[in-house]
Amino acid sequence: MTKLSSSSTIELPQSFHYSTTIYDYDIRWTCLGNAASPPLIFVHGTPWSSHVWHTYALSLSQYFRVYLFDNPGFGDSPLGKPLSGKADTITKAVALDADLAQQSQVFAALYKFWAREWQDFGAHVVAHDHGGLMTLRAHLLHGCDYRSLCLIDVVALGPFGQPLFKLVAENEEVFNALTGPVFEGVVESYIRDAAHKDLDRESMAALKRPWIASEDGRKAFVRQMVQANSRSTEEVEGRYHEVGEKMPVRIIWGKEDGWIPVETAKRLREKLNAKDVVVIEEAGHLIMYDQESRLGVELGWWLSNVNQKS
């Protein structure tokens, strides 16, 4: 079990190495709680990291074996590195990974690596933002079976894109050239737009730190914006109906989500055959910061209910 610091920051000391046909990945992860407890996985989106789940991971680790990880190119996990001799064969489209095919494949491999300890039981999965599309792809295309799936303000249905995504995609070189306070201002403005309420200084610092601390971080942030502008769900959206037939699904949405309108939640429920939709008022896309306690109650109720029935 991970030892927590006085500030309740959860470190990711474990590494999972995985190679596809073109990339080599090093994913940082950790787990909390009793190994005999039901497994629970939190999946973050962009441009966040596992940090957004720390409060919930700490609380729920009293009842579940909680797994946290950073996606490739986020938080403590570096981007995948091209295998020897493969760099010249990687197209721009493959490198962009707009449909999250590579991230989903890596998550599926990590899930199956963890599953060796679960005695044929699937994990409860909670996903936010593009973590939703990742978990759906991992289930539909890579055979990851979950005990339950809770999707929070997720990227799963088009149309996609925000004005900033398009602006960055059309001016990638310009944004890559930004440095210092100017670039930090862009990142901070973007993060602030995701929340309905004002973020405190500590939270803002933690969310923006990975993107402004180094040149690699700055380039990675720009890359995420370009990727988000080209998002695609075409390969899996037609199979969404299969998900609710195989597992209980809950959808939670912030009523004031300015990135992905709350109307999307109802459309997604129909597509997935989800059990229900919970709309949380006074919450934007960063619902875990806007309404931390309310989201905690909804997650606790859902996980307790589905765990008893599984």
Side-chain angles (χ1 to χ4, degrees):
M1 185 181 297
T2 299
K3 183 178 180 180
L4 303 176
S5 69
S6 58
S7 61
S8 296
T9 295
I10 302 174
E11 305 295 335
L12 304 178
Q14 304 294 325
S15 291
F16 172 69
H17 300 281
Y18 179 74
S19 296
T20 65
T21 56
I22 53 177
Y23 284 107
D24 186 55
Y25 293 94
D26 181 11
I27 304 301
R28 302 302 297 273
W29 67 277
T30 194
C31 57
L32 311 170
N34 192 311
S37 297
L40 167 62
I41 300 171
F42 285 100
V43 186
H44 72 81
T46 184
W48 326 113
S49 71
S50 58
H51 180 86
V52 301
W53 298 121
H54 283 189
T55 296
Y56 306 101
L58 289 169
S59 296
L60 291 168
S61 65
Q62 304 301 311
Y63 312 100
F64 295 89
R65 179 71 158 178
V66 177
Y67 293 82
L68 294 173
F69 71 102
D70 283 345
N71 283 315
F74 296 81
D76 292 341
S77 295
L79 278 171
K81 296 181 179 179
L83 297 176
S84 178
K86 294 292 185 177
D88 293 338
T89 68
I90 300 174
T91 65
K92 185 175 182 179
V94 170
L96 191 59
D97 195 28
D99 59 1
L100 301 179
Q102 295 165 58
Q103 289 192 50
S104 302
Q105 182 179 351
V106 174
F107 168 66
L110 181 61
Y111 183 91
K112 292 174 182 178
F113 170 74
W114 288 333
R116 298 182 304 175
E117 300 181 353
W118 302 340
Q119 299 179 350
D120 296 326
F121 289 105
H124 300 289
V125 176
V126 176
H128 177 246
D129 193 81
H130 85 231
L133 180 55
M134 283 176 51
T135 55
L136 290 168
R137 288 185 64 95
H139 170 66
L140 292 169
L141 302 180
H142 300 290
C144 293
D145 293 325
Y146 314 136
R147 279 194 187 183
S148 71
L149 180 61
C150 183
L151 301 172
I152 304 172
D153 293 81
V154 295
V155 172
L157 294 175
F160 302 105
Q162 300 176 47
L164 179 60
F165 296 166
K166 183 178 180 182
L167 181 64
V168 174
E170 294 176 349
N171 299 275
E172 187 173 354
E173 291 184 4
V174 174
F175 279 88
N176 272 324
L178 296 179
T179 59
V182 176
F183 185 82
E184 183 175 351
V186 171
V187 175
E188 187 166 321
S189 177
Y190 178 72
I191 293 173
R192 189 180 296 113
D193 188 55
H196 179 64
K197 298 181 178 181
D198 290 336
L199 293 167
D200 60 53
R201 183 177 301 180
E202 182 179 357
S203 296
M204 175 61 77
L207 290 171
K208 71 181 181 181
R209 186 179 299 116
W211 310 115
I212 65 173
S214 66
E215 182 178 356
D216 286 344
R218 292 192 294 273
K219 289 183 177 180
F221 180 84
V222 172
R223 178 182 178 277
Q224 304 306 332
M225 299 301 100
V226 176
Q227 181 194 66
N229 187 63
S230 304
R231 187 75 70 225
S232 171
T233 60
E234 183 178 353
E235 190 174 3
V236 290
E237 192 170 327
R239 295 181 58 192
Y240 280 176
H241 65 279
E242 300 174 24
V243 180
E245 296 171 357
K246 296 181 179 178
M247 72 191 76
V249 179
R250 163 170 271 203
I251 298 169
I252 300 177
W253 223 270
K255 186 176 181 180
E256 281 70 42
D257 190 334
W259 285 14
I260 312 176
V262 67
E263 291 77 17
T264 306
K266 298 176 183 178
R267 293 171 51 214
L268 188 58
R269 178 185 183 178
E270 294 176 359
K271 290 272 190 177
L272 293 172
N273 291 319
K275 283 188 173 295
D276 64 355
V277 172
V278 175
V279 175
I280 298 181
E281 296 185 356
E282 298 297 315
H285 192 70
L286 272 178
I287 190 171
M288 59 281 289
Y289 288 90
D290 286 330
Q291 292 291 344
E292 181 180 73
S293 297
R294 176 71 190 279
L295 179 59
V297 169
E298 295 295 348
L299 285 176
W301 182 92
W302 167 252
L303 290 168
S304 176
N305 186 272
V306 294
N307 191 59
Q308 290 176 5
K309 294 180 178 180
S310 60

